[in-house]
Amino acid sequence: MLYPITLALLYSLVAGVMNGSFALPTKHIKTWRFEHIWLNYAFWAFLILPWLTVFSLNPEVIQVYAGMSAKTWFILLVGGFLFGAGQVCFALALNFIGLALGFIINIGLGTALGVLLPLLTLNPDKI
């Protein structure tokens, strides 16, 4: 049996490899249109695989969702919509500027905003 920290590191490693290589096949699929590639990706990455993962890790997840407040549902839905819009914009950016530059900008903005936004919203007095 793996220790929790080892399992967490293994999951992080697999997630990093998957995140870093998900768009690589798009350079080699010349017969598919851009929209077909991304629709296929979005179907598997945002609909099928997350639910399979959630149900495999916690079969009682329906009870968890049933117990959430309306405010939590609203935040979840708005966040999901914004994430989806961001993914569409990221896909278009990859098409225009390429994988390397697109990922550098995406990861840089994500890291900077991920550090600054909680600081600005939760602890503005510490700035």
Side-chain angles (χ1 to χ4, degrees), residues 46-91:
F46 302 134
L47 188 62
I48 302 299
L49 293 176
W51 283 110
L52 287 175
T53 304
V54 165
F55 279 114
S56 69
L57 294 174
N58 183 6
E60 292 88 25
V61 72
I62 298 299
Q63 287 97 8
V64 174
Y65 286 140
M68 289 188 335
S69 68
K71 180 182 177 185
T72 304
W73 270 107
F74 179 74
I75 292 171
L76 183 69
L77 292 173
V78 169
F81 177 78
L82 291 175
F83 178 78
Q87 288 298 311
V88 169
C89 292
F90 179 60

Side-chain angles (χ1 to χ4, degrees), residues 6-96:
T6 307
L7 193 59
L9 289 172
L10 183 64
Y11 283 154
S12 297
L13 181 66
V14 170
V17 169
M18 290 174 71
N19 189 32
S21 63
F22 82 95
L24 189 59
T26 61
K27 291 187 132 197
H28 304 289
I29 304 173
K30 301 294 183 192
T31 58
W32 283 19
R33 290 185 56 200
F34 174 77
E35 294 83 7
H36 296 141
I37 294 169
W38 284 97
L39 180 63
N40 187 23
Y41 164 73
F43 177 75
W44 287 99
F46 302 134
L47 188 62
I48 302 299
L49 293 176
W51 283 110
L52 287 175
T53 304
V54 165
F55 279 114
S56 69
L57 294 174
N58 183 6
E60 292 88 25
V61 72
I62 298 299
Q63 287 97 8
V64 174
Y65 286 140
M68 289 188 335
S69 68
K71 180 182 177 185
T72 304
W73 270 107
F74 179 74
I75 292 171
L76 183 69
L77 292 173
V78 169
F81 177 78
L82 291 175
F83 178 78
Q87 288 298 311
V88 169
C89 292
F90 179 60
L92 292 172
L94 287 181
N95 195 32
F96 286 117

